[in-house]
Amino acid sequence: LEEALKLGCDYVATGHYARISAIASSWAKRSGVEGSPQKILLRGLDKTKDQSYFLARLSQYQLDHALFPLGKLTKTQVRDIAHQIKLPNADRKDSQWLCFIGNIPMSEFLKKKLPEQQGDIIDATGKKVGTHMGARFYTLGQRHQLFLPFKAYVTATDVVANIVTVGEKYDEKLLSDSSLLTDRQGTSVKNNINCLCKIRYRSEPVPCHIQIEWNQAKVIFSEPQRWVTPGQIIVCYTDQEEVIGSWIILKS
Protein backbone atom coordinates (compact mmCIF):
# COMPACT_ATOMS: atom_id res chain seq x y z
CA LEU A 1 0.00 0.00 0.00
CA GLU A 2 2.74 2.46 0.92
CA GLU A 3 4.51 1.86 -2.39
CA ALA A 4 1.24 2.28 -4.29
CA LEU A 5 0.59 5.62 -2.61
CA LYS A 6 4.12 6.78 -3.44
CA LEU A 7 3.39 6.01 -7.10
CA GLY A 8 0.29 8.21 -6.96
CA CYS A 9 -2.24 5.39 -6.78
CA ASP A 10 -5.36 5.74 -4.66
CA TYR A 11 -6.16 2.07 -4.11
CA VAL A 12 -4.74 -1.42 -4.06
CA ALA A 13 -7.02 -4.05 -5.61
CA THR A 14 -6.62 -7.71 -4.67
CA GLY A 15 -8.32 -10.97 -5.58
CA HIS A 16 -9.59 -11.76 -2.10
CA TYR A 17 -13.17 -12.93 -1.72
CA ALA A 18 -14.39 -10.26 0.70
CA ARG A 19 -16.41 -7.06 0.50
CA ILE A 20 -16.10 -3.50 1.81
CA SER A 21 -19.06 -1.32 2.71
CA ALA A 22 -18.67 2.46 2.88
CA ILE A 23 -21.86 3.03 4.86
CA ALA A 24 -22.23 2.91 8.61
CA SER A 25 -22.57 -0.67 9.79
CA SER A 26 -25.88 -1.98 11.06
CA TRP A 27 -24.01 -2.93 14.22
CA ALA A 28 -22.91 0.70 14.77
CA LYS A 29 -26.47 1.91 14.24
CA ARG A 30 -27.91 -0.57 16.73
CA SER A 31 -25.15 0.19 19.23
CA GLY A 32 -25.55 3.96 18.98
CA VAL A 33 -21.93 4.53 17.88
CA GLU A 34 -21.58 8.09 16.64
CA GLY A 35 -19.16 9.57 14.14
CA SER A 36 -18.56 9.52 10.41
CA PRO A 37 -19.24 6.25 8.55
CA GLN A 38 -16.30 3.87 8.49
CA LYS A 39 -15.29 1.27 5.96
CA ILE A 40 -16.72 -2.06 7.06
CA LEU A 41 -15.26 -5.40 6.03
CA LEU A 42 -17.85 -8.05 5.11
CA ARG A 43 -17.75 -11.72 4.21
CA GLY A 44 -17.47 -12.56 0.53
CA LEU A 45 -20.65 -13.46 -1.32
CA ASP A 46 -19.25 -16.93 -2.11
CA LYS A 47 -19.12 -18.46 1.38
CA THR A 48 -17.00 -21.38 0.16
CA LYS A 49 -14.27 -18.88 -0.79
CA ASP A 50 -14.83 -16.15 1.82
CA GLN A 51 -11.48 -14.70 2.95
CA SER A 52 -12.65 -12.05 5.42
CA TYR A 53 -11.02 -14.12 8.18
CA PHE A 54 -7.59 -13.43 6.65
CA LEU A 55 -8.31 -9.71 6.24
CA ALA A 56 -9.82 -9.03 9.67
CA ARG A 57 -6.62 -7.45 11.00
CA LEU A 58 -6.62 -4.68 8.38
CA SER A 59 -6.78 -1.18 9.80
CA GLN A 60 -9.30 1.48 8.82
CA TYR A 61 -6.51 3.25 6.92
CA GLN A 62 -5.81 0.12 4.89
CA LEU A 63 -9.51 -0.50 4.19
CA ASP A 64 -9.83 3.09 2.96
CA HIS A 65 -7.37 2.26 0.18
CA ALA A 66 -8.45 -1.32 -0.61
CA LEU A 67 -10.66 -2.77 -3.35
CA PHE A 68 -11.90 -6.36 -3.49
CA PRO A 69 -13.60 -6.67 -6.90
CA LEU A 70 -14.22 -10.43 -6.55
CA GLY A 71 -16.11 -10.09 -3.27
CA LYS A 72 -19.53 -9.87 -4.94
CA LEU A 73 -18.86 -12.76 -7.32
CA THR A 74 -18.83 -16.51 -6.95
CA LYS A 75 -15.81 -18.53 -8.06
CA THR A 76 -17.91 -19.94 -10.92
CA GLN A 77 -18.68 -16.41 -12.15
CA VAL A 78 -15.00 -15.48 -11.95
CA ARG A 79 -14.07 -18.52 -14.06
CA ASP A 80 -16.77 -17.59 -16.59
CA ILE A 81 -15.31 -14.10 -16.91
CA ALA A 82 -11.83 -15.58 -17.28
CA HIS A 83 -13.05 -17.75 -20.15
CA GLN A 84 -14.79 -14.82 -21.82
CA ILE A 85 -11.63 -12.72 -21.88
CA LYS A 86 -9.49 -15.78 -22.70
CA LEU A 87 -7.22 -15.81 -19.68
CA PRO A 88 -4.73 -18.71 -19.92
CA ASN A 89 -5.35 -19.75 -16.30
CA ALA A 90 -9.17 -19.89 -16.57
CA ASP A 91 -9.23 -23.63 -15.82
CA ARG A 92 -6.34 -23.80 -13.38
CA LYS A 93 -7.13 -25.77 -10.24
CA ASP A 94 -7.74 -23.84 -7.03
CA SER A 95 -4.63 -23.48 -4.92
CA GLN A 96 -4.70 -25.19 -1.52
CA TRP A 97 -1.54 -23.43 -0.32
CA LEU A 98 -0.95 -20.14 1.46
CA CYS A 99 -0.07 -17.64 -1.22
CA PHE A 100 2.82 -16.06 0.67
CA ILE A 101 4.79 -19.29 1.28
CA GLY A 102 4.36 -21.00 -2.07
CA ASN A 103 3.70 -24.62 -2.94
CA ILE A 104 5.38 -26.21 0.09
CA PRO A 105 4.03 -27.66 3.36
CA MET A 106 3.82 -25.25 6.28
CA SER A 107 6.29 -27.35 8.28
CA GLU A 108 8.91 -26.99 5.54
CA PHE A 109 8.37 -23.23 5.44
CA LEU A 110 8.78 -22.97 9.23
CA LYS A 111 11.98 -25.03 9.18
CA LYS A 112 13.55 -22.32 7.01
CA LYS A 113 12.84 -19.79 9.75
CA LEU A 114 13.22 -21.85 12.94
CA PRO A 115 15.96 -24.35 13.88
CA GLU A 116 14.97 -27.97 14.39
CA GLN A 117 15.15 -29.26 17.95
CA GLN A 118 14.43 -32.91 18.72
CA GLY A 119 11.97 -33.60 21.53
CA ASP A 120 9.56 -36.19 22.89
CA ILE A 121 6.05 -37.05 21.77
CA ILE A 122 4.07 -38.34 24.75
CA ASP A 123 0.57 -39.72 25.25
CA ALA A 124 -2.02 -38.70 27.86
CA THR A 125 -0.30 -40.85 30.52
CA GLY A 126 3.07 -39.18 29.97
CA LYS A 127 4.55 -42.20 28.19
CA LYS A 128 6.98 -41.43 25.37
CA VAL A 129 5.58 -42.73 22.07
CA GLY A 130 7.85 -41.00 19.57
CA THR A 131 10.09 -38.07 18.77
CA HIS A 132 9.66 -34.84 16.83
CA MET A 133 11.96 -32.13 15.47
CA GLY A 134 10.41 -29.14 17.21
CA ALA A 135 7.20 -28.50 19.16
CA ARG A 136 6.87 -25.14 17.39
CA PHE A 137 6.06 -26.97 14.15
CA TYR A 138 2.81 -28.45 15.51
CA THR A 139 -0.66 -27.12 16.26
CA LEU A 140 -3.67 -28.48 18.15
CA GLY A 141 -5.60 -31.14 16.27
CA GLN A 142 -2.77 -31.85 13.84
CA ARG A 143 -2.36 -35.47 12.77
CA HIS A 144 0.20 -35.16 9.97
CA GLN A 145 3.98 -35.17 10.42
CA LEU A 146 3.81 -37.20 13.65
CA PHE A 147 5.18 -40.39 12.05
CA LEU A 148 3.69 -42.65 14.72
CA PRO A 149 2.67 -46.31 14.15
CA PHE A 150 -0.90 -45.44 15.18
CA LYS A 151 -3.37 -42.65 14.41
CA ALA A 152 -3.08 -39.76 16.85
CA TYR A 153 -3.80 -36.05 17.09
CA VAL A 154 -1.88 -33.28 18.82
CA THR A 155 -3.71 -32.38 22.04
CA ALA A 156 -1.07 -30.05 23.52
CA THR A 157 2.29 -28.46 22.73
CA ASP A 158 4.86 -27.15 25.20
CA VAL A 159 7.36 -25.06 23.23
CA VAL A 160 9.41 -24.30 26.36
CA ALA A 161 9.93 -27.95 27.33
CA ASN A 162 9.73 -28.94 23.63
CA ILE A 163 7.11 -31.64 24.23
CA VAL A 164 4.19 -32.63 22.02
CA THR A 165 1.26 -34.51 23.58
CA VAL A 166 -1.02 -36.68 21.45
CA GLY A 167 -4.35 -38.38 21.97
CA GLU A 168 -7.64 -39.31 20.31
CA LYS A 169 -9.40 -37.03 17.82
CA TYR A 170 -12.32 -36.50 20.17
CA ASP A 171 -10.23 -36.03 23.30
CA GLU A 172 -12.09 -33.70 25.68
CA LYS A 173 -8.87 -31.71 26.10
CA LEU A 174 -9.46 -30.41 22.57
CA LEU A 175 -12.78 -28.84 23.55
CA SER A 176 -13.04 -25.28 24.92
CA ASP A 177 -16.08 -23.56 26.45
CA SER A 178 -14.29 -20.21 26.39
CA SER A 179 -10.99 -18.56 25.54
CA LEU A 180 -8.94 -15.57 26.64
CA LEU A 181 -8.09 -13.11 23.88
CA THR A 182 -5.58 -10.30 23.40
CA ASP A 183 -4.39 -7.71 20.85
CA ARG A 184 -7.74 -6.33 19.76
CA GLN A 185 -8.25 -5.00 16.24
CA GLY A 186 -11.43 -3.06 15.49
CA THR A 187 -13.52 -0.80 17.71
CA SER A 188 -17.07 -1.86 16.83
CA VAL A 189 -17.26 -4.61 19.44
CA LYS A 190 -18.91 -3.39 22.63
CA ASN A 191 -18.60 -5.13 25.97
CA ASN A 192 -20.97 -7.94 26.91
CA ILE A 193 -22.34 -8.56 23.45
CA ASN A 194 -23.62 -11.57 21.57
CA CYS A 195 -22.25 -12.07 18.08
CA LEU A 196 -20.76 -14.72 15.79
CA CYS A 197 -17.12 -15.78 15.65
CA LYS A 198 -14.71 -17.89 13.62
CA ILE A 199 -11.72 -19.57 15.26
CA ARG A 200 -10.17 -20.77 11.99
CA TYR A 201 -10.53 -20.10 8.29
CA ARG A 202 -12.42 -23.27 7.40
CA SER A 203 -14.91 -23.12 10.27
CA GLU A 204 -18.36 -21.56 10.09
CA PRO A 205 -19.17 -18.61 12.39
CA VAL A 206 -20.69 -19.81 15.67
CA PRO A 207 -22.69 -17.88 18.31
CA CYS A 208 -20.64 -16.49 21.18
CA HIS A 209 -20.58 -13.88 23.94
CA ILE A 210 -17.74 -11.35 24.27
CA GLN A 211 -16.59 -9.76 27.53
CA ILE A 212 -13.98 -7.01 27.11
CA GLU A 213 -11.52 -5.69 29.70
CA TRP A 214 -8.95 -3.25 28.33
CA ASN A 215 -6.85 -4.94 25.64
CA GLN A 216 -7.92 -8.42 26.72
CA ALA A 217 -11.24 -10.14 26.28
CA LYS A 218 -12.99 -13.39 26.99
CA VAL A 219 -15.12 -15.23 24.46
CA ILE A 220 -17.72 -17.71 25.69
CA PHE A 221 -18.94 -20.11 23.03
CA SER A 222 -22.58 -21.18 22.86
CA GLU A 223 -21.28 -24.71 22.31
CA PRO A 224 -17.79 -26.07 23.13
CA GLN A 225 -15.38 -25.61 20.21
CA ARG A 226 -12.67 -28.04 19.16
CA TRP A 227 -9.02 -27.09 18.56
CA VAL A 228 -9.12 -23.48 19.79
CA THR A 229 -5.43 -22.74 19.33
CA PRO A 230 -3.40 -20.03 21.14
CA GLY A 231 -1.62 -17.73 18.70
CA GLN A 232 -4.30 -18.00 16.04
CA ILE A 233 -6.93 -15.39 15.21
CA ILE A 234 -10.56 -15.23 16.28
CA VAL A 235 -12.79 -13.00 14.14
CA CYS A 236 -16.17 -11.63 15.25
CA TYR A 237 -19.09 -10.98 12.91
CA THR A 238 -22.61 -9.60 13.10
CA ASP A 239 -25.53 -11.59 11.74
CA GLN A 240 -25.26 -9.19 8.81
CA GLU A 241 -21.85 -10.71 7.96
CA GLU A 242 -19.91 -7.61 8.99
CA VAL A 243 -16.49 -8.00 10.63
CA ILE A 244 -16.68 -6.09 13.90
CA GLY A 245 -13.36 -7.04 15.45
CA SER A 246 -10.67 -9.63 15.91
CA TRP A 247 -8.25 -10.80 18.57
CA ILE A 248 -5.33 -13.19 18.95
CA ILE A 249 -6.23 -16.24 21.03
CA LEU A 250 -4.16 -16.07 24.23
CA LYS A 251 -5.36 -19.14 26.08
CA SER A 252 -7.98 -21.81 25.36
Side-chain angles (χ1 to χ4, degrees):
L1 172 60
E2 296 303 326
E3 289 301 315
L5 294 177
K6 289 178 184 178
L7 293 171
C9 301
D10 297 312
Y11 299 94
V12 171
T14 80
H16 289 94
Y17 285 83
R19 294 173 290 161
I20 296 177
S21 173
I23 54 179
S25 72
S26 61
W27 186 270
K29 292 177 182 177
R30 293 197 301 268
S31 303
V33 177
E34 298 180 354
S36 58
Q38 291 185 319
K39 294 291 182 67
I40 304 298
L41 181 67
L42 298 98
R43 299 185 71 191
L45 187 68
D46 188 337
K47 297 303 179 291
T48 65
K49 295 296 179 183
D50 169 45
Q51 293 174 301
S52 59
Y53 177 87
F54 289 116
L55 302 169
R57 305 295 288 175
L58 292 180
S59 67
Q60 183 64 207
Y61 174 74
Q62 292 167 321
L63 288 175
D64 283 341
H65 297 282
L67 297 173
F68 304 130
L70 302 190
K72 295 182 179 180
L73 301 173
T74 65
K75 188 58 180 277
T76 300
Q77 290 174 316
V78 173
R79 287 196 182 278
D80 289 342
I81 294 171
H83 280 117
Q84 292 170 16
I85 61 178
K86 295 181 172 55
L87 290 182
N89 59 348
D91 292 313
R92 188 175 68 183
K93 291 183 178 180
D94 291 357
S95 172
Q96 301 299 317
W97 305 95
L98 289 178
C99 58
F100 56 85
I101 71 171
N103 192 15
I104 63 172
M106 176 63 77
S107 59
E108 294 302 315
F109 170 76
L110 292 175
K111 287 176 182 178
K112 294 181 178 181
K113 307 293 181 179
L114 302 170
E116 293 185 353
Q117 183 180 7
Q118 185 170 305
D120 294 340
I121 299 177
I122 63 174
D123 62 16
T125 67
K127 176 185 176 182
K128 180 179 176 179
V129 294
T131 59
H132 60 78
M133 296 309 297
R136 294 179 293 187
F137 302 141
Y138 295 87
T139 188
L140 294 185
Q142 182 174 334
R143 66 182 179 89
H144 299 292
Q145 304 293 317
L146 291 171
F147 306 111
L148 297 173
F150 55 91
K151 182 178 286 188
Y153 295 80
V154 176
T155 59
T157 60
D158 186 334
V159 296
V160 177
N162 198 33
I163 294 174
V164 172
T165 304
V166 297
E168 299 292 332
K169 180 177 183 179
Y170 297 104
D171 192 320
E172 290 189 358
K173 293 180 181 178
L174 296 175
L175 289 172
S176 300
D177 295 314
S178 62
S179 294
L180 295 180
L181 314 173
T182 189
D183 196 11
R184 177 183 181 183
Q185 175 66 36
T187 58
S188 297
V189 183
K190 299 186 70 176
N191 194 15
N192 290 317
I193 60 166
N194 296 314
C195 57
L196 303 173
C197 68
K198 288 182 70 168
I199 58 172
R200 67 179 65 86
Y201 169 53
R202 290 296 183 185
S203 66
E204 279 298 309
V206 297
C208 68
H209 182 78
I210 301 287
Q211 299 173 344
I212 301 173
E213 184 173 344
W214 297 101
N215 191 43
Q216 289 195 356
K218 181 178 182 179
V219 57
I220 302 171
F221 304 110
S222 60
E223 295 182 2
Q225 296 299 301
R226 191 174 301 278
W227 304 328
V228 181
T229 307
Q232 293 188 354
I233 302 296
I234 185 169
V235 180
C236 296
Y237 299 84
T238 70
D239 54 7
Q240 304 299 317
E241 302 188 336
E242 301 162 347
V243 174
I244 55 175
S246 67
W247 285 267
I248 294 175
I249 298 170
L250 182 64
K251 184 178 180 181
S252 60

